[in-house]
Amino acid sequence: MPETANRTNLLGLNPAALEAFVVGLGEKPFRARQLLTWIYKRRVGDFAAMSDLGKEFRARLASVAEVRVPEIASEHASADGTRKWLLKAGEFAGRAQAIETVFIPEPGRGTLCISSQVGCALDCSFCATGAQGFNRNLETAEIVGQVWLASRALGTGALGERAITNVVLMGMGEPLANYKNVLPALELFMDDRGFDLSRRRVTLSTSGLVPQLYRLAEDTNVALAVSLHAPNDALRDQLVPINKRHPIKELLAACWHYLEAQNGRSITFEYVMLDGINDQPEHARELARLLVGHDAKVNLIPFNPFPGTAYRRSATETIGRFRDYLNTHGVTATVRRTRGDDIDAACGQLAGQVQDRTTVRLGSKTMTVAVHA
Ligand code: SAH
Ligand code: SF4
């Protein structure tokens, strides 16, 4: 379908907004449910094919609406089943932009790691996305479109089981810095008329925008992952600069508030393992003291290096000792698995900006797999 500026992209509307849109066209509200079924359950975007809608309504829809997903710039498949899509995200200062979406299959689970912004403004010192700077927020339709595209590409298994069982906002960007567009996408992921994923299977990862965390507790109940990465403010100020505005104490208060509002669901704290920086025994001790007694888990992420970074990944034994210390001191800790080095992708470390139409700058050669309970 040719793209027009004045057509409404239905992927950008949550169920309530879609109903209002349909009513605005003079149709009965239940038509919205039919549309949602076609779009999200059958993954059909062509109105002409929506056979239980009246011909006139279909023609009207075709003139005022569309189901438009980002265009695929390139697609990569790993020998281990990991898939990655580089999606076009318009142009900025005359240069083509792209975002990345990664599918990570594991036994009994398929996780889609999606992006929320083109680049990121928060400039964490160990992050490839931060290093490329911030271009713009993704539209709701571009966020939802990543899941739509991937679920259409991946289809369902022989028994009708879905390829995508989990969605994590751990790709490019800080989702809470794009709150307005991310929230309707979360609703569509969890609504039974949309992608119908349980709230435990949709995870938002944030570096800690405290005011938005309080808003999130009011507005939704997704699983929360928080990028802590350091157990004290002096160190976190260096690694995650937003800490200077929202220090650890305030961040944790917002986290415990979120837990309370969400009926005691546990929060995952992400902690990138940087050799000699934040991986020492005293850091493990400090971290345990911060989290013990709370419904919190720690996910240790072996650092994925990228061109130009001065950091190195902690040794495997160091990571193991750090994990063991936490586990024996009352804080559940796991280590993310790294795999998929035959396609350049790293969930949480993506730099999909297309520098020109033929050369693509990607993250590291390794892939970090999110492990979510
Ligand atoms: N902006 C959000 C979500 C995207 S980043 C956030 O920061 O939480 C997803 C995860 O990948 C975060 O925990 C982030 O800190 C981590 N990450 C970023 N760069 C990384 C790197 N080079 N190696 C390993 N993990 C990294
Ligand atoms: Fe942005 Fe997250 Fe990267 Fe920090 S780690 S720069 S918040 S994407």
Side-chain angles (χ1 to χ4, degrees):
M1 186 187 295
E3 174 187 327
T4 56
N6 49 14
R7 281 205 191 112
T8 302
N9 190 351
L10 300 189
L11 289 180
L13 305 181
N14 68 7
L18 186 68
E19 197 172 289
F21 181 76
V22 163
V23 169
L25 295 178
E27 294 286 333
K28 294 256 161 28
F30 78 91
R31 296 283 176 208
R33 180 175 273 276
Q34 287 176 306
L35 263 173
L36 286 162
T37 302
W38 280 107
I39 297 170
Y40 296 108
K41 302 278 190 278
R42 304 191 181 122
R43 296 180 293 270
V44 168
D46 180 4
F47 299 123
M50 300 182 178
S51 49
D52 57 359
L53 302 179
K55 257 203 171 132
E56 247 172 60
F57 181 39
R58 280 187 262 166
R60 179 102 167 89
L61 279 173
S63 67
V64 298
E66 61 187 345
V67 175
R68 177 160 36 92
V69 291
E71 248 180 272
I72 297 175
S74 62
E75 202 174 333
H76 310 260
S78 152
D80 65 17
T82 299
R83 303 261 301 259
K84 188 183 73 175
W85 295 268
L86 203 69
L87 306 175
K88 293 185 185 176
E91 290 206 350
F92 185 77
R95 291 205 330 212
Q97 306 295 302
I99 50 158
E100 297 188 340
T101 303
V102 180
F103 176 67
I104 306 141
E106 291 171 278
R109 168 170 51 200
T111 302
L112 193 72
C113 178
I114 63 169
S115 296
S116 56
Q117 298 183 307
V118 186
C120 182
L122 296 186
D123 204 20
C124 300
S125 58
F126 51 84
C127 174
T129 306
Q132 77 180 15
F134 173 68
N135 294 330
R136 69 173 174 88
N137 284 328
L138 291 181
E139 299 292 336
T140 300
E142 292 176 305
I143 301 168
V144 173
Q146 294 172 64
V147 184
W148 197 86
L149 254 182
S151 49
R152 197 163 71 160
L154 296 162
T156 43
L159 299 173
E161 74 276 18
R162 295 195 275 186
I164 299 171
T165 60
N166 294 54
V167 171
V168 298
L169 284 94
M170 290 187 186
M172 295 165 67
E174 167 51 52
L176 292 187
N178 185 13
Y179 196 93
K180 179 171 74 61
N181 296 341
V182 164
L183 190 66
L186 295 175
E187 285 170 29
L188 280 164
F189 298 155
M190 295 186 288
D191 197 292
D192 61 357
R193 296 160 293 179
F195 289 103
D196 196 17
L197 294 169
S198 91
R199 62 191 193 132
R200 300 196 72 86
R201 292 179 175 273
V202 179
T203 303
L204 182 145
S205 175
T206 177
S207 58
L209 299 190
V210 166
Q212 287 89 329
L213 268 173
Y214 282 102
R215 265 179 83 185
L216 197 70
E218 299 285 313
D219 292 341
T220 183
N221 54 14
V222 283
L224 191 63
V226 173
S227 293
L228 193 58
H229 303 314
N232 61 63
D233 285 325
L235 187 53
R236 195 164 189 268
D237 282 353
Q238 290 172 31
L239 301 179
V240 185
I242 193 72
N243 193 68
K244 292 179 200 150
R245 202 177 320 157
H246 305 299
I248 292 175
K249 200 165 168 225
E250 279 177 34
L251 172 59
L252 291 182
C255 290
W256 310 145
H257 170 81
Y258 190 85
L259 269 180
E260 249 170 61
Q262 301 310 319
N263 270 336
R265 301 182 54 220
S266 94
I267 292 179
T268 301
F269 289 91
E270 295 157 291
Y271 194 100
V272 65
M273 294 300 282
L274 304 167
D275 184 33
I277 306 283
N278 64 352
D279 63 351
Q280 298 300 300
E282 69 260 27
H283 299 125
R285 276 197 294 277
E286 250 182 308
L287 185 60
R289 275 202 299 273
L290 280 182
L291 301 181
V292 76
H294 293 281
D295 208 348
K297 293 181 197 152
V298 172
N299 195 209
L300 301 173
I301 316 176
F303 171 63
N304 286 307
F306 55 92
T309 182
Y311 293 118
R312 289 181 313 265
R313 177 184 294 182
S314 306
T316 309
E317 310 75 65
T318 310
I319 300 176
R321 274 198 298 273
F322 203 97
R323 177 201 55 207
D324 293 346
Y325 181 89
L326 293 173
N327 278 324
T328 51
H329 289 80
V331 179
T332 305
T334 51
V335 180
R336 271 192 204 174
R337 260 195 310 143
T338 301
R339 67 178 208 194
D341 58 1
D342 57 340
I343 59 167
D344 295 319
C347 195
Q349 198 233 358
L350 306 173
Q353 184 178 346
V354 179
Q355 292 189 320
D356 64 44
R357 289 178 199 284
T358 50
T359 321
V360 175
R361 184 182 137 210
L362 297 169
S364 80
K365 288 220 177 279
T366 49
M367 164 108 208
T368 296
V369 176
V371 180
H372 302 277

